[in-house]
Amino acid sequence: MKAPRLAAVILAGGAGTRFWPLSREARPKPLLKAGGSDTLLGEAVARARRFAARRDVWLVCGADHAAAMRRAAGLAPDRVLVEPCGRNTAPAVALAAARIAAEDPDAVITVLSADHRIPDADAFAESVHRAAPAAASGALVTLGVRPTRPETGYGYIRLGRRAGRAYPGLHRVSRFVEKPNRARAERYLARGGFLWNAGIFVWTARTILEEIERCAPRLARGLAPVRRAAAQGERLERALAKAWPKLPSEPIDTAVLERSRRVWCLPVDWRWSDVGTWASLAEELGVNGSDSHVLEGRALLCDAPGNLVRAHDRPIVLLGVEGLAVIDAGDAVLVTKLTNSGSVRDVVARLRKEGRSDLL
Amino acid sequence: MKAPRLAAVILAGGAGTRFWPLSREARPKPLLKAGGSDTLLGEAVARARRFAARRDVWLVCGADHAAAMRRAAGLAPDRVLVEPCGRNTAPAVALAAARIAAEDPDAVITVLSADHRIPDADAFAESVHRAAPAAASGALVTLGVRPTRPETGYGYIRLGRRAGRAYPGLHRVSRFVEKPNRARAERYLARGGFLWNAGIFVWTARTILEEIERCAPRLARGLAPVRRAAAQGERLERALAKAWPKLPSEPIDTAVLERSRRVWCLPVDWRWSDVGTWASLAEELGVNGSDSHVLEGRALLCDAPGNLVRAHDRPIVLLGVEGLAVIDAGDAVLVTKLTNSGSVRDVVARLRKEGRSDLL
């Protein structure tokens, strides 16, 4: 059997309001740097390039940020698929699959997010290679990350029985679990067999399109003109503009994965973060009781451990404070306790309510 | 007896490093706004104007900031006395007294600081009027502020016996006390009879010059050419340039007040603060467990009580933090616990050590 062609689809929807003031409507989270020299999107492209040729890396993003995203991703224009409006991940995944199927329906697609962080790109590529044979023979493989803490911000995958020789290393998925409360998250961690649902999937274009037909017929019907246009390689944009607004808005998880019988899970051990809050970014970057981290710019830390700092055009001095995020975005400064940083959303909501569109 | 002419001498030396990053070598504390619409210096001039004619308000300041100080004070150029270099308060007081004596040796001078805060200017003027008769008849009157908390940042005056009918309301000074530790400050507060030494004095030009001759002969000798130039109304600047660098650097407190036998104290009850730290400014401005204060600029406070905020060209959002000073000076941002704000000096020392003269 010939080794399948490996493709990557990077999903770059969502603004990431919890990263205010750095993330904005005009500057979404994938375009932020999160400790590395590159943007999160740039890092995602580099991650994909470990296993896929440049021509096989695809980006799906919203119309608002298409130009900036294209620049940051460094991909050819025809590899960037622009959604006329946000419809969550199921339509985005379907669109990319339709477009790739027109070139090679047996290509193995790895779906990943443009705004997550996986420091070990080699380990990630190795997992893709491990999942690929099962995907090539018809499995929908979801990657499950072994938890390292009782995280309440992620959904979980409960592992079922091992797949055995057919799919070495893979497991059935017993069930998908919503974000748990703290007590439950602690039980999951203690008991084992529960993995973080990282939203990373490996499957062929053919399989996912089949399963969308089966599990999400309304979406499949709505997408039919888009698939035809993609297959014929023409007027895709016009078909998208017409079909997209009428599509149901749904994540691929509930639309397909929780319904399909072809779903398998590959447990993985590498470090992964959805970088969902300033706190999780701080943890990613090694901020703890004794260390602070300066994201960008100049900072002077005097007796100030456990902080995450981002300076802009002027230095920031922290004196005798700990556990803070101090973020100067150039047009606004946020000072919050890291433990409170989930509430940044409330700030954004309040700014919206107060009509401060200049700060959104 | 004719009512004496009332003059005011405002001392504006000292950079106030504890107000970094707002106070700078190029922007000393008297030029800061501290909650009011005017600078501290402007407020001091207004305070003086409650009892003195504009021509009788004098300012002593350093050469570095003379132009800015003159602007902020709004005084005639000949009422601004410029020290060629800093020599603490004794020479500054002597210089002003010499200059005023040339016009009227019996003028009653109130010496006050350019960077303190006394919200009730009327009560202050009333105290000056109460002290003036004693001053006119030869007393050195120091105003003692009744303490409202066990402050360890101020020196204290221990009251002696009442002056009786000669100087109604005045007391002898039993002794001047250095800044106490916490336990001692609490005893002072509980016991009574200890007042804050506010560095506010009322005396005639003649008396203070006599007492400088008696108590600080070296200073008097060094100042003799300056006094002569002042008396003749010419070449004062040249005399200053020559004499000043050789003068002993000493506060008027130790040079004269702790040695003279003509010292009396007038206890006063109004609110006074030397606004020595961000914490004392915060307290002045009513910051407490439930209230924050925005000094300047736009700030959004979400679940953030007890903070002092100063925004510059971009809004500052505080989320779930308390007891902080967050100060954006435009070229540097300070984030510190108010309870730590005495250590801001250490930051300035560190910047100096690191050669960051741009931030000093």
Side-chain angles (χ1 to χ4, degrees):
Chain A
M1 188 176 125
K2 185 169 144 265
R5 179 172 170 184
L6 296 183
V9 170
I10 300 171
L11 303 180
T17 50
R18 282 180 301 178
F19 272 98
W20 190 92
L22 272 196
S23 65
R24 292 296 174 78
E25 289 183 351
R27 199 195 314 145
K29 191 176 147 209
L31 298 181
L32 302 183
K33 290 178 189 175
S37 59
D38 205 351
T39 59
L40 285 169
L41 173 56
E43 286 183 357
V45 171
R47 193 176 302 137
R49 291 283 286 107
R50 297 288 175 121
F51 57 85
R54 181 168 297 278
R55 294 284 302 158
D56 289 320
V57 179
W58 299 78
L59 175 68
V60 187
C61 66
D64 289 354
H65 313 111
M69 293 275 189
R70 206 179 279 132
R71 264 196 307 279
L75 299 174
D78 71 332
R79 305 286 116 164
V80 179
L81 305 172
V82 179
E83 304 169 284
C85 54
R87 279 294 175 267
N88 214 317
T89 55
V93 162
L95 165 62
R99 186 62 188 77
I100 292 169
E103 297 187 5
D104 181 355
D106 294 314
V108 169
I109 300 170
T110 298
V111 177
L112 58 159
S113 287
D115 58 2
H116 291 181
R117 213 162 173 257
I118 300 170
D120 189 344
D122 287 331
F124 177 77
E126 196 192 309
S127 298
V128 170
H129 284 291
R130 284 188 65 198
S137 64
L140 300 178
V141 184
T142 173
L143 270 49
V145 178
R146 242 180 264 284
T148 54
R149 59 178 189 273
E151 175 64 54
T152 58
Y154 298 150
Y156 285 70
I157 294 167
R158 182 170 190 181
L159 282 183
R161 66 174 173 76
R162 289 178 173 281
R165 232 183 290 167
Y167 295 150
L170 271 63
H171 288 246
R172 273 288 180 200
V173 171
S174 161
R175 61 188 172 96
F176 291 93
V177 188
E178 288 292 293
K179 294 176 187 179
N181 61 24
R182 178 82 188 187
R184 203 175 282 269
E186 277 168 359
R187 274 207 302 283
Y188 292 170
L189 184 66
R191 196 195 292 174
F194 286 85
L195 304 178
W196 288 338
N197 182 356
I200 305 172
F201 312 112
V202 187
W203 47 49
T204 63
R206 185 193 306 277
T207 311
I208 189 65
L209 289 170
E210 279 173 17
E211 290 302 288
I212 288 171
E213 296 266 10
R214 187 167 301 145
C215 306
R218 211 183 123 215
L219 172 61
R221 270 198 306 281
L223 270 173
V226 173
R227 282 187 68 178
R228 276 196 299 277
Q232 291 157 13
E234 57 186 24
R235 277 174 288 200
L236 180 58
E237 208 171 319
R238 193 204 277 177
L240 274 174
K242 206 167 159 199
W244 213 257
K246 288 177 276 178
L247 293 182
S249 180
E250 199 176 359
I252 190 71
D253 303 69
T254 54
V256 173
L257 289 158
E258 295 184 8
R259 294 175 188 173
S260 166
R261 292 159 64 186
R262 296 162 78 174
V263 177
W264 299 83
C265 178
L266 175 66
V268 299
D269 278 314
W270 26 261
R271 221 149 58 93
W272 164 85
S273 166
D274 80 343
V275 205
T277 60
W278 289 116
S280 65
L281 176 58
E283 198 195 317
E284 266 302 288
L285 298 172
V287 171
N288 54 41
S290 53
D291 291 307
S292 285
H293 184 94
V294 179
L295 267 176
E296 254 184 290
R298 287 177 306 149
L300 185 70
L301 306 177
C302 304
D303 183 24
N307 302 289
L308 181 68
V309 191
R310 199 263 189 187
H312 189 71
D313 53 351
R314 57 202 63 168
I316 294 178
V317 175
L318 299 195
L319 171 65
V321 292
E322 34 190 315
L324 297 183
V326 179
I327 309 293
D328 184 353
D331 53 1
V333 181
L334 172 71
V335 179
T336 182
K337 271 196 200 121
L338 281 169
T339 52
N340 260 328
S341 64
S343 313
V344 170
R345 277 183 168 165
D346 304 342
V347 171
V348 177
R350 192 164 146 193
L351 291 171
R352 183 161 288 128
K353 208 170 139 197
E354 292 177 3
R356 295 302 310 272
S357 54
D358 53 324
L359 294 176
L360 293 172
Chain B
M1 189 173 124
K2 184 172 143 261
R5 178 171 169 185
L6 295 183
V9 170
I10 300 170
L11 303 181
T17 50
R18 283 180 300 179
F19 272 99
W20 191 91
L22 272 197
S23 63
R24 290 298 174 76
E25 289 183 349
R27 200 196 312 145
K29 192 176 146 207
L31 298 181
L32 302 183
K33 290 179 188 174
S37 60
D38 205 351
T39 60
L40 285 168
L41 173 56
E43 286 183 359
V45 171
R47 193 176 302 138
R49 292 282 287 108
R50 298 289 175 120
F51 57 85
R54 181 169 295 279
R55 294 283 303 158
D56 289 319
V57 178
W58 300 76
L59 175 68
V60 186
C61 66
D64 289 355
H65 313 112
M69 293 276 188
R70 206 178 279 132
R71 264 196 307 280
L75 298 176
D78 71 332
R79 305 286 118 164
V80 179
L81 305 172
V82 180
E83 303 170 284
C85 53
R87 280 293 175 267
N88 215 318
T89 54
V93 163
L95 166 62
R99 186 65 188 75
I100 292 169
E103 298 187 3
D104 181 355
D106 295 315
V108 168
I109 301 169
T110 297
V111 177
L112 59 158
S113 288
D115 57 1
H116 291 181
R117 213 160 175 259
I118 298 170
D120 189 344
D122 287 330
F124 177 78
E126 196 192 310
S127 298
V128 170
H129 285 290
R130 284 189 63 199
S137 63
L140 300 179
V141 183
T142 174
L143 269 49
V145 179
R146 242 180 265 284
T148 53
R149 58 177 190 274
E151 176 63 54
T152 58
Y154 298 151
Y156 285 72
I157 295 166
R158 183 169 188 182
L159 282 183
R161 63 174 175 76
R162 288 178 176 280
R165 231 184 290 166
Y167 296 151
L170 271 63
H171 288 247
R172 274 287 181 200
V173 170
S174 161
R175 61 188 170 98
F176 290 93
V177 188
E178 289 291 294
K179 294 176 186 177
N181 62 23
R182 178 81 188 186
R184 203 175 282 267
E186 278 169 358
R187 274 206 304 283
Y188 292 170
L189 185 65
R191 197 194 292 173
F194 286 84
L195 304 179
W196 288 337
N197 182 356
I200 305 171
F201 312 111
V202 187
W203 47 48
T204 62
R206 185 194 306 278
T207 311
I208 189 65
L209 288 170
E210 279 173 16
E211 289 303 286
I212 287 171
E213 296 265 11
R214 186 167 302 145
C215 305
R218 211 183 125 214
L219 172 60
R221 269 198 305 281
L223 270 173
V226 173
R227 281 188 70 176
R228 275 194 301 276
Q232 291 156 14
E234 57 187 25
R235 276 175 288 202
L236 180 58
E237 209 172 318
R238 193 203 277 177
L240 274 174
K242 206 168 158 197
W244 213 257
K246 289 178 275 178
L247 293 182
S249 179
E250 199 175 1
I252 190 72
D253 303 71
T254 55
V256 173
L257 289 159
E258 296 183 8
R259 294 176 187 172
S260 166
R261 291 158 64 185
R262 297 161 78 175
V263 177
W264 299 83
C265 178
L266 174 65
V268 299
D269 277 314
W270 27 260
R271 221 149 57 93
W272 163 84
S273 165
D274 79 344
V275 204
T277 59
W278 289 117
S280 66
L281 176 58
E283 197 194 318
E284 264 304 287
L285 298 172
V287 171
N288 55 41
S290 54
D291 289 309
S292 286
H293 184 93
V294 179
L295 267 176
E296 254 184 290
R298 287 178 306 150
L300 186 69
L301 306 176
C302 304
D303 183 24
N307 302 289
L308 181 67
V309 191
R310 198 263 189 187
H312 188 72
D313 53 350
R314 57 202 63 168
I316 293 177
V317 175
L318 299 195
L319 171 65
V321 292
E322 32 190 317
L324 297 183
V326 179
I327 309 294
D328 184 353
D331 55 1
V333 181
L334 173 71
V335 180
T336 183
K337 271 196 199 120
L338 281 168
T339 54
N340 260 327
S341 64
S343 313
V344 170
R345 278 183 167 166
D346 305 341
V347 170
V348 176
R350 192 165 146 192
L351 290 172
R352 184 161 287 127
K353 207 170 138 195
E354 292 177 2
R356 294 303 309 273
S357 54
D358 54 322
L359 294 177
L360 292 172

